[in-house]
Amino acid sequence: MTDGLTIPEAIRRIFGVDVATESPLLKNKAMSLERNGLIKSSRTKAVERSSIMIGVDQLTPLHNALVLNAVFSDPKQVKKIFTDRTYRTECAQILKKLFGERDSLLGIALRTDAAFALSEALDSNWDLNDKRLPNPFEQLPQVALGKDLSVLQALLAQASTLAPADSVLLAYLKGDLKRAAELVDACGFPPESEVGLLGHHIKAKLKEAADFDDLLDMLRKS
Amino acid sequence: MRKIALISLATLALLPLDAQAKSDPFTNNDSAFLIESCREAVEIYQKRDQQNLLAGIATSMSEALRAGFCIGVVQQHINSSDNCYGTDWLEAASTIAALSVTTRWNTRKRLLQEAVCDD
């Protein structure tokens, strides 16, 4: 009998999420973090197959790693935040620009004071292995978005360096109308503003494209 | 007066005088236009199958209009005779799209009879 936890048990204890039913993605991310050495584990010598067990002392780093992973989707990046001070500071700046004045990100509600506190914590000497970071997400994006995490990544990559209005325009010009429409919604521009009008135009184009799809489907059968 | 005449003459001289006028698609002889139109139609349906909304976003008005022309001509041919009943127009359009534009077809009707079905 060991006194460790399996990764699903650990996630249940930290976030109250049952990965088997709610988020295999979250479990996979946690396992990647164990594989790359950030989370320390031991393998039981069980009879049929060995399980990965982590100690209770790994719960805090795991919590922090998964919260950071919501924004920085590559487990390598997350490990680097723990180990490389300069990189950690850069990421803190990204978080500041990203969360800004927002109270939601792609429809996932943010606790704004926690969002601010998270970027401050990352910027400071906060011990990531010892103290749990403030979690700004009402629900972790890995759970909420599932396999659409790439949408969030794309959004973040844009938002981290561009003003929100630029992100919308960039997506539109690249022909990625869906993302442009999502960005308009996520950033909550007032409808009369220029970007709001652009958003309206984008949605009209998307509707037109959907109607075109329907027309094509109808013609195909005739 | 003479100045105006000279300028007009100069302008006329500069207008491109094509030996071939823009081909009229409604004559029986233009198979190249039909083949190209059917290529557009095939491409639009490829986009449709590739991803939702892609066809609507990535197709220009001209491409769509040409595609429509192909669809109309092919369906008209299929409906014109009992022999052709049941022919799938998109398959027919694909066959046409694969033809070479440099082949000389006598009439569009011959092209349709050989490539689609003989009415």
Side-chain angles (χ1 to χ4, degrees):
Chain A
M1 204 58 187
T2 74
D3 58 357
L5 300 159
T6 62
I7 287 184
E9 282 166 0
I11 293 178
R12 187 176 306 120
R13 198 185 286 198
I14 302 170
F15 295 108
V17 168
D18 175 18
V19 292
T21 54
E22 294 177 60
S23 183
L25 179 66
L26 192 61
K27 176 178 163 208
N28 287 341
K29 292 291 184 179
M31 303 205 42
S32 302
L33 292 164
E34 183 270 334
R35 263 199 303 275
N36 76 9
L38 178 59
I39 304 298
K40 318 265 179 291
S41 64
S42 59
R43 274 165 175 69
T44 60
K45 298 181 184 66
V47 179
E48 284 126 25
R49 57 170 185 211
S50 69
S51 288
I52 298 169
M53 306 295 281
I54 62 174
V56 177
D57 61 326
Q58 294 296 297
L59 289 180
T60 296
L62 181 59
H63 169 273
N64 292 343
L66 288 175
V67 168
L68 290 168
N69 176 245
V71 175
F72 304 102
S73 62
D74 188 348
K76 278 203 290 287
Q77 291 171 301
V78 175
K79 184 174 178 189
K80 204 169 170 190
I81 291 176
F82 275 68
T83 56
D84 182 334
R85 177 72 245 187
T86 316
Y87 187 69
R88 171 172 160 170
T89 306
E90 281 171 24
C91 292
Q93 304 315 314
I94 291 176
L95 284 184
K96 285 193 182 152
K97 281 208 204 108
L98 175 65
F99 290 135
E101 293 294 311
R102 249 167 252 193
D103 60 11
S104 84
L105 201 63
L106 266 187
I108 299 166
L110 291 180
R111 293 185 274 259
T112 40
D113 49 342
F116 179 72
L118 173 61
S119 43
E120 289 292 305
L122 206 58
D123 211 6
S124 73
N125 288 328
W126 190 284
D127 186 343
L128 294 174
N129 285 308
D130 205 45
K131 250 166 94 179
R132 294 212 185 164
L133 287 168
N135 178 359
F137 301 105
E138 289 288 348
Q139 185 187 36
L140 283 180
Q142 295 95 323
V143 179
L145 295 175
K147 61 177 169 58
D148 287 332
L149 204 53
S150 60
V151 170
L152 180 60
Q153 289 166 24
L155 171 58
L156 298 179
Q158 295 297 329
S160 65
T161 51
L162 298 171
D166 293 338
S167 305
V168 174
L169 283 169
L170 194 63
Y172 178 69
L173 291 171
K174 276 187 185 167
D176 195 343
L177 294 199
K178 278 183 88 176
R179 193 160 109 229
E182 278 157 5
L183 283 167
V184 171
D185 283 339
C187 301
F189 292 105
E192 334 68 70
S193 69
E194 279 122 355
V195 182
L197 290 172
L198 179 61
H200 183 76
H201 166 77
I202 289 171
K203 285 181 187 159
K205 289 230 79 171
L206 284 173
K207 170 105 190 7
E208 198 190 306
D211 289 345
F212 193 64
D213 272 353
D214 290 342
L215 175 61
L216 288 174
D217 291 342
M218 190 211 78
L219 277 174
R220 199 190 321 233
K221 292 198 192 81
S222 64
Chain B
M1 209 48 197
R2 262 180 81 193
K3 210 171 164 189
I4 296 174
L6 274 176
I7 292 172
S8 316
L9 212 61
T11 316
L12 277 172
L14 289 172
L15 285 174
L17 293 171
D18 272 347
Q20 314 164 286
K22 281 209 174 82
S23 21
D24 173 4
F26 295 104
T27 64
N28 274 333
N29 285 335
D30 188 9
S31 10
F33 185 80
L34 178 61
I35 294 172
E36 279 168 17
S37 303
C38 289
R39 286 179 185 171
E40 303 285 14
V42 167
E43 265 190 45
I44 287 176
Y45 275 91
Q46 279 170 351
K47 287 180 200 155
R48 175 72 192 98
D49 290 337
Q50 192 183 320
Q51 191 185 319
N52 281 349
L53 303 184
L54 182 61
I57 291 170
T59 303
S60 75
M61 288 196 299
S62 308
E63 289 164 348
L65 191 54
R66 271 182 241 131
F69 173 75
C70 161
I71 296 172
V73 165
V74 170
Q75 289 202 341
Q76 177 76 2
H77 181 78
I78 290 174
N79 291 335
S80 68
S81 114
D82 289 339
N83 274 352
C84 297
Y85 182 79
T87 309
D88 176 49
W89 71 260
L90 185 52
E91 267 184 46
S94 305
T95 309
I96 295 172
L99 298 173
S100 156
V101 293
T102 54
T103 307
R104 294 228 140 263
W105 301 87
N106 282 340
T107 62
R108 186 195 297 158
K109 192 155 179 68
R110 281 230 48 71
L111 185 164
L112 288 164
Q113 282 170 334
E114 291 198 20
V116 177
C117 67
D118 199 342
D119 60 351

